Amino acid sequence: MKRQERVRGGTGRALRADAERTEQAILEAAERVLGDNPAASMEQVAEAAGVARTTVHRRFATRDALITAMTARAIQQFDAAVKAARPDTAPPLVALYQGTANILRVKIGWGFALSRASSTDTEIARIQADVLATCDRLFRRAQESGVLRADADLAWVRRVYYALIHEAAAGRSDEDDTDALATLLVDTLLRGFGADGGHL
Amino acid sequence: MKRQERVRGGTGRALRADAERTEQAILEAAERVLGDNPAASMEQVAEAAGVARTTVHRRFATRDALITAMTARAIQQFDAAVKAARPDTAPPLVALYQGTANILRVKIGWGFALSRASSTDTEIARIQADVLATCDRLFRRAQESGVLRADADLAWVRRVYYALIHEAAAGRSDEDDTDALATLLVDTLLRGFGADGGHL
DNA sequence: AATAACTGCTACATCAATGATGCAACTAAA
DNA sequence: TTTAGTTGCATCATTGATGTAGCAGTTATT
């Protein structure tokens, strides 16, 4: 234990500072390029990252490994975004607005990586399931506290919520006002677009 | 003009009856296979269609041609589904429910083909733009007649609507009750999930 | 029954993506 | 200033997808 070992989250051994920067650049470039065209080649990714193609392969043995690494990084940030909203303790409505804003930021930056649901990686699947469960708990609390109607099907609510997140993040303009977007999204989820006296 | 010429919508010359069936089988198989995995090979499509790979290439010279043909067929059905709801003449709310049910049926059957927005084909783009405009007109009428709130951003409404269609169709179980699903979808769009006295 | 169309099969050619290696030059870290 | 890690480049092997062509057998159409 004499030499300091920088621990890296499961991905592998310690890296030199410049290598770490390179890896970061590759992951971000991959998100941009693959987000635009999921069938893009490793070469295009490398070019966007400003490195040689072989360097990409040095860091990520296979294309799958690269995508898995992207997903891992993204899902961790996603998890953090959810937890930061205190979904189990804060008032449901507050947690919903706050969490949505946090999630949107992550989703805008890692849209492609997060769209890859099916992963062979156990750790990723674990976090994913965890986030899902947390989300469901929040919606249940929201329903019990009267924020959501009692007759709302929570499974459908969650699907609609995810769909709205996806759609909102798709119409991104980077530093668009995320908070305003989150407000719009949650308002849509809760009120819809119909006139109040419409057809009750 | 002595021999009868079966006219085919732009794709090419007249086909013999069995060839027509084969073409249909290929298109449907392609939808199933590519819907499950967009990167699937022509071979997998051929196998699913129950024909040899070369036969697929005989009908559709390139992969692009196949996908374009799928999109063309799908967008036409989509267009018909929209028009059948009389979006410009029926009461907005009626047209909305009816149109949604129609669209869902098409979207469930041609989910992949309809997700290919960017097409080089001019005719496809035309129909697509036409449907979009029709949809916007319907929403405008809905707003003017008080079905939608006056302060609703119609561009956002349309995006949400499409997102809901997409999501609802994704959780398909083929002959799930489409009408019930459409009702659920439109109710969601109009009312959301919040309790009525929530935060007005 | 005659004709023309269609299909499966086999074979071939091509091309792009992938992934691995070795080496010389460079750079962070001790 | 060593030392060890990192990168670009050039090279090569492999693989899988794509697309073409011809032939023999089958099937729709007349």
Side-chain angles (χ1 to χ4, degrees):
Chain A
M1 284 281 192
K2 293 175 70 177
R3 66 175 56 231
Q4 291 189 352
E5 306 243 339
R6 276 149 297 188
V7 183
R8 308 180 61 251
T11 305
R13 69 226 163 278
L15 289 183
R16 225 169 65 178
D18 53 350
E20 196 91 38
R21 257 178 286 132
T22 299
E23 187 168 307
Q24 183 74 16
I26 292 173
L27 289 172
E28 288 172 2
E31 166 60 37
R32 263 178 286 134
V33 173
L34 295 179
D36 184 61
N37 169 25
S41 68
M42 301 290 270
E43 181 120 42
Q44 290 173 273
V45 172
E47 189 186 351
V51 299
R53 187 176 65 90
T54 47
T55 299
V56 177
H57 278 101
R58 249 190 290 265
R59 297 269 146 265
F60 308 99
T62 73
R63 184 195 184 82
D64 265 1
L66 169 60
I67 294 182
T68 299
M70 292 168 63
T71 307
R73 184 159 301 207
I75 195 70
Q76 280 168 12
Q77 293 191 24
F78 196 91
D79 185 51
V82 170
K83 286 194 167 60
R86 305 194 166 281
D88 287 315
T89 56
L93 198 54
V94 174
L96 192 54
Y97 277 104
Q98 186 62 57
T100 300
N102 293 348
I103 288 174
L104 274 178
R105 267 180 280 270
V106 176
K107 178 78 178 174
I108 287 173
W110 295 98
F112 170 79
L114 290 173
S115 70
R116 306 279 107 175
S118 57
S119 178
T120 344
D121 192 302
T122 316
E123 180 66 2
I124 293 178
R126 220 212 71 237
I127 300 183
Q128 213 164 21
D130 184 47
V131 169
L132 200 97
T134 304
C135 198
D136 279 342
R137 282 198 306 278
L138 174 58
F139 280 132
R140 194 171 314 123
R141 283 211 306 137
Q143 192 172 46
E144 286 164 358
S145 69
V147 171
L148 297 180
R149 286 197 302 277
D151 66 327
D153 174 357
L154 292 188
W156 172 240
V157 172
R158 185 173 52 68
R159 285 174 58 198
V160 169
Y161 180 68
Y162 272 47
L164 290 181
I165 291 280
H166 187 83
E167 181 58 40
R172 63 186 178 279
S173 42
D174 256 343
E175 282 310 324
D176 224 2
D177 190 345
T178 311
D179 287 321
L181 198 54
T183 302
L184 176 62
L185 195 160
V186 175
D187 283 352
T188 299
L189 187 74
L190 295 181
R191 301 178 62 200
F193 302 115
D196 295 322
H199 59 129
L200 303 175
Chain B
M1 284 283 189
K2 292 175 71 177
R3 65 174 58 230
Q4 291 187 353
E5 306 241 340
R6 276 147 298 189
V7 184
R8 308 181 61 250
T11 306
R13 68 222 165 284
L15 290 183
R16 223 169 65 177
D18 53 349
E20 196 92 37
R21 257 178 285 133
T22 298
E23 187 169 306
Q24 183 74 17
I26 292 172
L27 289 172
E28 289 172 1
E31 166 61 37
R32 265 177 286 135
V33 172
L34 295 179
D36 183 61
N37 169 25
S41 67
M42 301 291 269
E43 181 120 42
Q44 291 173 273
V45 171
E47 190 186 350
V51 298
R53 187 176 65 90
T54 47
T55 299
V56 177
H57 277 101
R58 248 190 291 264
R59 295 272 146 262
F60 308 99
T62 73
R63 183 196 185 81
D64 264 1
L66 170 60
I67 293 181
T68 299
M70 292 170 62
T71 306
R73 184 159 301 208
I75 195 72
Q76 279 169 12
Q77 293 193 22
F78 196 92
D79 184 51
V82 170
K83 284 194 167 61
R86 306 193 165 282
D88 287 315
T89 56
L93 197 54
V94 174
L96 191 53
Y97 277 105
Q98 186 62 55
T100 301
N102 294 349
I103 288 174
L104 275 178
R105 267 181 279 271
V106 176
K107 177 78 177 175
I108 287 174
W110 296 98
F112 170 80
L114 289 173
S115 71
R116 306 278 109 175
S118 55
S119 179
T120 345
D121 191 303
T122 317
E123 179 65 3
I124 292 179
R126 219 211 73 236
I127 301 183
Q128 214 165 21
D130 184 46
V131 168
L132 200 98
T134 304
C135 198
D136 279 342
R137 281 198 307 277
L138 173 58
F139 280 132
R140 194 171 314 122
R141 283 211 306 136
Q143 192 171 48
E144 286 164 357
S145 69
V147 171
L148 296 180
R149 286 197 302 276
D151 66 327
D153 173 357
L154 290 188
W156 172 241
V157 172
R158 186 174 51 68
R159 285 174 58 197
V160 169
Y161 180 68
Y162 271 49
L164 290 181
I165 291 281
H166 187 83
E167 181 58 39
R172 64 186 178 280
S173 41
D174 256 343
E175 281 310 324
D176 224 2
D177 189 345
T178 312
D179 287 321
L181 198 54
T183 301
L184 176 63
L185 195 160
V186 175
D187 283 352
T188 299
L189 186 74
L190 294 181
R191 302 177 61 200
F193 300 114
D196 296 322
H199 58 128
L200 303 174

